[in-house]
Amino acid sequence: MWSAPGWTVNLGDPPETSVTVRLVSPREYGVCSPRLSGCAVPVGHVCLVMLDRAAFLNGTPRQRTLLLAHEVGHCLDASRLEYTHGDFRDEGRVYSAYHASPVEGFAEAYAHAYLARCGPNAAPLGWGQGPPCVLPDPHGVRPDRLLR
């Protein structure tokens, strides 16, 4: 896995959150279910994100951005919000039943906030070329401000 294609990006103001992204087969996730399209393993201000290589590379720009931003949302939930999940309870259910848990609801809401602000431009998250874009502040991703 460590030799899998990927990149590292530092996000936010100091202390930055360092996110290393690897494109792997889901069988290589280890700590996450291989049924998922992505997996985030945050430890303090460092986070490993593993994405299903085929799902990511074959997705549309919007799908790729949502997937990557969702996993980055998990990283920021840990490093910036200290796992408070932006006070989400089950509000993420507006996205799907899977997103009804606070942790998944926050991550999906973060992905939609990112898409609303930056569009399908994943360059600020380290993927591809595109204009700069200031990432949404995870403190501003709240249940009363859901975007779809």
Side-chain angles (χ1 to χ4, degrees):
M1 174 181 51
W2 295 109
S3 63
W7 62 92
T8 298
V9 62
N10 292 317
L11 306 174
D13 297 323
E16 294 179 332
T17 301
S18 179
V19 178
T20 297
V21 180
R22 293 288 179 252
L23 303 179
V24 299
S25 163
R27 292 184 311 274
E28 299 175 63
Y29 288 166
V31 297
C32 298
S33 169
R35 293 187 306 265
L36 299 174
S37 297
C39 172
V41 183
V43 179
H45 289 275
V46 176
C47 190
L48 171 63
V49 168
M50 295 171 281
L51 301 176
D52 178 330
R53 179 180 338 147
F56 184 76
L57 294 176
N58 294 325
T60 66
R62 183 179 192 280
Q63 290 168 329
R64 281 193 299 266
T65 300
L66 278 173
L67 175 59
L68 179 55
H70 175 99
E71 298 306 330
V72 165
H74 287 304
C75 299
L76 296 174
D77 184 14
S79 68
R80 300 292 169 76
L81 302 181
E82 298 179 348
Y83 296 107
T84 62
H85 318 306
D87 294 330
F88 273 73
R89 291 180 310 277
D90 67 347
E91 294 86 356
R93 70 188 180 286
V94 301
Y95 301 114
S96 77
Y98 176 79
H99 298 102
S101 71
V103 66
E104 293 301 335
F106 172 80
E108 191 66 8
Y110 186 85
H112 284 272
Y114 179 93
L115 194 66
R117 176 171 287 181
C118 300
N121 170 22
L125 301 176
W127 175 259
Q129 300 294 316
C133 182
V134 176
L135 276 64
D137 180 350
H139 292 96
V141 177
R142 317 268 319 152
D144 60 337
R145 300 178 190 161
L146 287 178
L147 300 171
R148 295 174 86 182

